[in-house]
Amino acid sequence: MTEDSGAASDVHPVVRREAITAALPVEQREVSWFAVLTRPRHEKKAAVGLQEKGIRVFLPLCTTIHQWSDRRRMIESPLFPSYLFVHACATQDARLVVLRTSGVLAFVGNRGMGAAIPDEQIAAVKTILERGVPLTPHPFLNTGERIRIRGGCLDGLEGILVGINGDQSLVVSVEMIQRSLAVRVSGYQIERIQ
């Protein structure tokens, strides 16, 4: 008797979840990354506000040394000024929660509705930041030869190969916000993506 009740309780939640998921329209079932435009110099405040609302946020930061007349200090500043990324549903209610956050101006994309950013582009930026590879912001590129790094700490990272001041660099782009960053690939083995 205990086996039957245990089996019934194991099956019931699965059926219930499927029913709830199936009842939702396709665009509401999937959670994607979206770029959000913020007020200038309000990226960190907006990120904290969104996290307090339970929204997953990705704010890529880079550390730079600032020199003043009396001191030097390491400052963490946004890699993409005035932008951050939210992982949310594409529903009107989810958008409103994000847009009602202090410092947030709009979603980036079609008529302010936002357009999903491929997970691979966000993952590429995260990989570069996690590995601590020296990087520089780079102008956005639409064209160029796509390459993949083979081996080393950036194995599998894909982007566009460019020449900057005689050095070869891999440019990783987030297309929706038209921002890119460049990583020098000297010492890495690279291959062309067909």
Side-chain angles (χ1 to χ4, degrees):
M1 186 163 180
T2 55
E3 288 181 45
D4 292 337
S5 64
S9 65
D10 289 342
V11 172
H12 182 67
V14 172
V15 171
R16 189 170 178 212
R17 270 193 295 250
E18 288 174 359
I20 291 170
T21 304
L24 294 172
V26 173
E27 63 273 6
Q28 292 182 12
R29 279 188 245 163
E30 300 195 19
V31 177
S32 300
W33 285 103
F34 294 92
V36 174
L37 180 66
T38 67
R39 292 178 57 197
R41 298 179 170 262
H42 282 74
E43 301 90 351
K44 291 179 184 178
K45 182 179 179 182
V48 169
L50 290 164
Q51 287 173 337
E52 288 173 352
K53 293 179 179 185
I55 298 171
R56 188 170 162 202
V57 174
F58 174 51
L59 175 59
L61 300 171
C62 61
T63 304
T64 55
I65 297 174
H66 283 254
Q67 175 76 43
W68 288 276
S69 60
D70 60 339
R71 67 189 182 282
R72 292 176 70 183
R73 191 166 190 187
M74 293 187 69
I75 304 291
E76 277 193 333
S77 55
L79 188 58
F80 305 120
S82 296
Y83 293 99
L84 58 84
F85 305 96
V86 295
H87 200 238
C89 293
T91 64
Q92 188 65 28
D93 292 338
R95 283 190 190 102
L96 285 175
V97 170
V98 172
L99 292 172
R100 289 182 176 152
T101 304
S102 179
V104 173
L105 295 177
F107 276 86
V108 178
N110 307 334
R111 293 179 272 154
M113 298 300 287
I117 296 173
D119 290 340
E120 299 81 31
Q121 291 179 7
I122 298 295
V125 174
K126 284 183 175 184
T127 300
I128 291 170
L129 293 174
E130 288 168 359
R131 303 291 161 85
V133 177
L135 60 89
T136 57
H138 191 274
F140 180 75
L141 299 173
N142 278 322
T143 58
E145 192 166 31
R146 292 196 54 81
I147 63 164
R148 179 183 302 122
I149 294 179
R150 283 283 158 225
C153 67
L154 298 178
D155 185 41
L157 192 66
E158 297 179 5
I160 300 168
L161 180 66
V162 297
I164 302 172
N165 298 332
D167 288 332
Q168 287 187 326
S169 295
L170 172 76
V171 176
V172 175
S173 300
V174 179
E175 293 169 4
M176 187 53 58
I177 63 170
Q178 294 190 349
R179 296 288 190 269
S180 302
L181 47 103
V183 177
R184 290 187 17 215
V185 293
S186 58
Y188 289 102
Q189 206 174 45
I190 58 175
E191 67 181 7
R192 182 181 305 158
I193 298 174
Q194 302 280 324

